[in-house]
Amino acid sequence: MRNKPKIAAAMLIALMLTGVACSAQGGNAPSPSTGTATPGPSMEPWATPAPSIEPSATPSDDGQTAATTQPHDKGTSPSPTKSPKPSTVKNGQGQASSGGSQQGGKGGGSTGEPAVQVTANAEAATALVNKQFRLPEGYVPDDLVYPDVPFIFSEKVDKRKLRKDAAEALEKLVAGAKKDDIKLAGVSGYRSEARQKTLFTNYVKKDGVEAASKYSARPGHSEHQTGLSMDVSGVDGKCAAESCFGDTPEADWLAKYAADYGYIIRYPEGKQDITGYKYEPWHIRYVGVELARKLETSGDTLEEHYGAAVPVSGSKN
């Protein structure tokens, strides 16, 4: 029994020598806490694959889902933005057509109706605005003023306004008429596209599209929006914007002398199939003295002058 301590000591020494040998060979010893193997000196850091990272999805400018690139991915260029589509406007029948720009050009839709185009020179006094040629969307002249002439109403509102050159010419016209004992007054001048839309919609509700189109323009197609047109009457307002105005001394004077001041009767009698509108002896349009006198001599409308008569066929457009 005295040999047992010696045997136990020998076994302990043997176990210690075995552990030292294992460590020297670089083996993996169990982890005390988890029981799993921990990397030894021979295991490289990248031996364990890193989790893959997918690019996050974010909405792009056009509403489609696009992947965002990682900061280091400089080789990926952003997707190009969408090119704007050609602008279109609608013709009298509500069909879309490409917006043209050549004044006097002739349009033609697939239905045989004239295509609507945007007038090329909205700022010019000689601009053609009718059922075929419209003003740029939302157009507002930048030189509107209040002409110093009588009006049949007292409110200082937009329909008193005209563009500067047209206003000065109107003042001279009214003064010239007064010398001949003709007292003229303004009825309606500048009108915004929004206001024209309201008016045309109301007229359609009242009389229907076909009838309304003979005496009222669609929004964007009104000469009043140019700031170059004024409806006039006598100072008493009698027959203002009514057919009976054609039988008044004021209408006679305008027909004879308006051109001397740069104005024309825009919708003359007997030209409805060309202008698209019934006779309006009260609607005068400023085009400048040179063109006004030329049209007075030729008897042409603006449509005929530019070779751009609108084939309205009974003014159904």
Side-chain angles (χ1 to χ4, degrees):
M1 295 299 291
R2 286 182 290 183
N3 292 331
K4 288 183 179 181
K6 294 180 178 181
I7 295 173
M11 292 178 65
L12 179 61
I13 291 172
L15 287 172
M16 293 176 64
L17 291 174
T18 301
V20 171
C22 290
S23 297
Q25 294 176 2
N28 293 339
S31 167
S33 59
T34 64
T36 58
T38 57
S42 63
M43 185 175 287
E44 301 293 347
W46 54 83
T48 302
S52 62
I53 301 176
E54 298 293 336
S56 60
T58 57
S60 63
D61 289 341
D62 60 5
Q64 298 176 335
T65 300
T68 58
T69 58
Q70 300 301 317
H72 65 274
D73 190 8
K74 296 181 180 179
T76 304
S77 60
S79 59
T81 57
K82 291 185 176 181
S83 300
K85 294 181 180 179
S87 60
T88 58
V89 293
K90 293 183 177 181
N91 64 17
Q93 302 301 315
Q95 298 171 329
S97 60
S98 297
S101 61
Q102 295 299 320
Q103 185 171 4
K106 295 181 179 180
S110 59
T111 61
E113 301 293 346
V116 170
Q117 301 179 59
V118 177
T119 190
N121 56 348
E123 295 292 337
T126 56
L128 176 63
V129 178
N130 59 12
K131 293 186 177 184
Q132 182 177 346
F133 289 91
R134 64 158 291 150
L135 290 162
E137 186 174 356
Y139 172 78
V140 179
D142 60 6
D143 59 346
L144 291 170
V145 297
Y146 293 100
D148 186 14
V149 299
F151 280 83
I152 63 171
F153 54 88
S154 59
E155 298 82 7
K156 196 171 185 179
V157 290
D158 275 355
K159 64 180 180 178
R160 278 182 177 261
K161 296 178 181 178
L162 284 176
R163 289 184 58 186
K164 187 174 184 297
D165 288 347
E168 291 175 353
L170 183 66
E171 290 170 355
K172 294 176 182 178
L173 181 149
V174 171
K178 189 174 182 180
K179 290 179 181 179
D180 292 335
D181 202 27
I182 298 294
K183 298 179 181 180
L184 295 171
V187 175
S188 183
Y190 170 71
R191 194 179 299 152
S192 70
E193 186 169 341
R195 176 59 179 161
Q196 187 65 34
K197 181 178 181 180
T198 299
L199 290 174
F200 185 76
T201 299
N202 290 340
Y203 292 143
V204 168
K205 290 178 180 178
K206 177 177 176 287
D207 297 325
V209 175
E210 183 175 345
S213 295
K214 293 179 181 180
Y215 62 83
S216 180
R218 286 175 169 79
H221 293 261
S222 173
E223 279 210 331
H224 286 280
Q225 190 181 343
T226 67
L228 298 170
S229 292
M230 178 67 73
D231 294 339
V232 297
S233 74
V235 291
D236 59 3
K238 184 179 180 180
C239 292
E242 296 180 8
S243 58
C244 59
F245 179 74
D247 298 324
T248 65
E250 290 82 2
D252 289 340
W253 189 94
L254 286 172
K256 292 177 182 178
Y257 302 112
D260 294 340
Y261 302 91
Y263 278 92
I264 61 173
I265 307 300
R266 180 64 179 92
Y267 307 118
E269 192 170 14
K271 299 281 188 172
Q272 180 174 325
D273 288 341
I274 295 172
T275 65
Y277 298 102
K278 68 178 186 178
Y279 174 41
E280 293 188 357
W282 60 84
H283 181 107
I284 59 175
R285 157 71 191 275
Y286 181 74
V287 295
V289 174
E290 182 180 355
L291 181 55
R293 285 178 173 166
K294 186 174 183 178
L295 294 177
E296 180 185 40
T297 300
S298 67
D300 288 340
T301 61
L302 277 180
E303 284 78 13
E304 293 167 306
H305 173 71
Y306 288 121
V310 183
V312 295
S313 181
S315 305
K316 292 182 180 181
N317 290 355

